[in-house]
Amino acid sequence: MTERVVLAYSGGLDTSVAIGWIAEQTGAEVIAVAVDVGQGGEDLEVIRERALACGAVEAEVVDAKYEFAEEYCLPAIKANALYMDRYPLVSALSRPAIVKHLVAAADKHHAGVVAHGCTGKGNDQVRFEAGISALGPGLKCIAPVRDYAMTRDKAIAFCEEKNLPIATTKKSPYSIDQNVFGRAVETGFLENIWNAPVEDIYAYTENPATPREADEVVISFKEGVPVALDGEPVTVLQAIQRLNRRAGAQGIGRIDMVEDRLVGIKSREVYEAPSAIALITAHQELENVTVERELARYKRQVEQRWGELVYDGLWFSPLKRALDGFIDEADQHVTGDIRMTLHAGRAVVTGRRSEQSLYDFNLATYDSGDTFDQSKAQGFIEIFGLSSKIAAKRDLS
């Protein structure tokens, strides 16, 4: 029986060429799988037909936008996931969503190998292969660009030699990855970390310096899940899509950073994530109102570790699953409304309300009606600082 390879297919030059390239290098039949996580571009049926025209024996396309929002973006919102305190894991979240469908296709088509288009110096090769090995431990992985030295020049030459139905236009100076949760831009002149980004690299956000009227939005959550915008019920996908437009129009979610890649190098990345930043900001503030202090403190540690695991490609790991359970438990009372002003590149919280609130006006106020018994504060402070006081006497003697 001829070996079969499932290929993560985008419809672009590199993965289109990879269909015939893999067949020539391995003698295997190739099944192309394209997963739509909101990256935009061509119609899925056009992509499917191109894969077949380029030599795939089977081609599948999956509209996974709703699934991606509910099963991958939502956990990141509940985890307030910001790698290195800044990056909302735009690309890292999409990889396990794609992997799930690649492994399912491999099982369906009796394929023993899964292929992807990653290079050998990025994070995505790890995310794909660690995820594939977790869901299909018996599957092998190959990466034509990395394993068979399929350079851009070789890909163009192969495309022209085989007369494949794909344009071989000059490559963009940037490497771009995008989905419904955000957009990542790297390489080109951005590799010089002294160079400032130019306006034409952005697509999801308007220039935040352009004068415009502010936009006010009320985001409603139920147990950590965004369920309404300005009182209108929404799915998670709708909340993301609508806030992409509204927050993006205000220039919110631009991130320019040098990040620590899993493979050990530092890389300059420019991100656009308007809805991610708006939703995480709102969710964090509602947690401030509804989550008890010690739980909130510990959750911040969990959030950092959760983000590192996802960034490192360990979405399907036992620790990540266990942390998901903790986060769901911690968010059970995160229900209420957050009012935000979207303006000039910032999402600023201006109001909070929740029936689950732990904020007690009568305890917090300094005016009449104050129910906090201040007479107990002095004794509390003496006991609280006692161990430090004893140590200080020793150290100063």
Side-chain angles (χ1 to χ4, degrees), residues 250-325:
Q250 297 287 338
I252 291 165
R254 292 187 176 187
I255 302 159
D256 178 2
M257 64 184 290
V258 175
E259 73 183 41
D260 291 320
R261 281 189 179 177
L262 174 60
V263 295
I265 64 175
K266 289 184 181 291
S267 174
R268 199 268 188 90
E269 309 283 343
V270 175
Y271 298 107
E272 297 179 276
S275 64
I277 295 303
L279 285 166
I280 289 173
T281 301
H283 180 265
Q284 285 176 322
E285 187 63 19
L286 189 56
E287 283 191 331
N288 289 343
V289 174
T290 59
V291 177
E292 182 270 335
R293 185 185 71 164
E294 294 304 317
L295 177 57
R297 285 180 172 180
Y298 198 81
K299 184 173 183 287
R300 283 191 283 274
Q301 299 176 47
V302 171
E303 291 169 356
Q304 180 178 357
R305 190 71 187 103
W306 192 96
E308 291 167 349
L309 289 169
V310 174
Y311 184 89
D312 291 349
L314 296 175
W315 179 273
F316 300 108
S317 67
L319 177 55
K320 155 59 173 56
R321 288 197 300 270
L323 296 184
D324 283 337

Side-chain angles (χ1 to χ4, degrees), residues 169-188:
T169 54
K170 183 180 179 182
K171 188 180 181 182
S172 165
Y174 314 119
S175 173
I176 299 172
D177 180 68
Q178 62 191 39
N179 57 54
V180 74
F181 208 50
R183 185 168 178 267
V185 184
E186 62 177 1
T187 71

Side-chain angles (χ1 to χ4, degrees), residues 104-166:
D107 182 62
K108 174 182 174 182
H109 295 285
H110 307 291
V113 180
V114 176
H116 58 81
C118 303
T119 69
K121 64 188 299 183
N123 298 309
D124 282 340
Q125 59 179 335
V126 183
R127 294 166 182 160
F128 275 111
E129 297 186 25
I132 290 164
S133 66
L135 296 184
L139 293 171
K140 297 179 181 178
C141 296
I142 59 173
V145 174
R146 180 192 67 196
D147 301 338
Y148 303 135
M150 195 188 82
T151 64
R152 180 80 177 184
D153 290 342
K154 289 180 180 179
I156 291 174
F158 187 92
C159 181
E160 293 173 346
E161 176 191 343
K162 304 295 183 181
N163 196 28
L164 299 179
I166 181 74

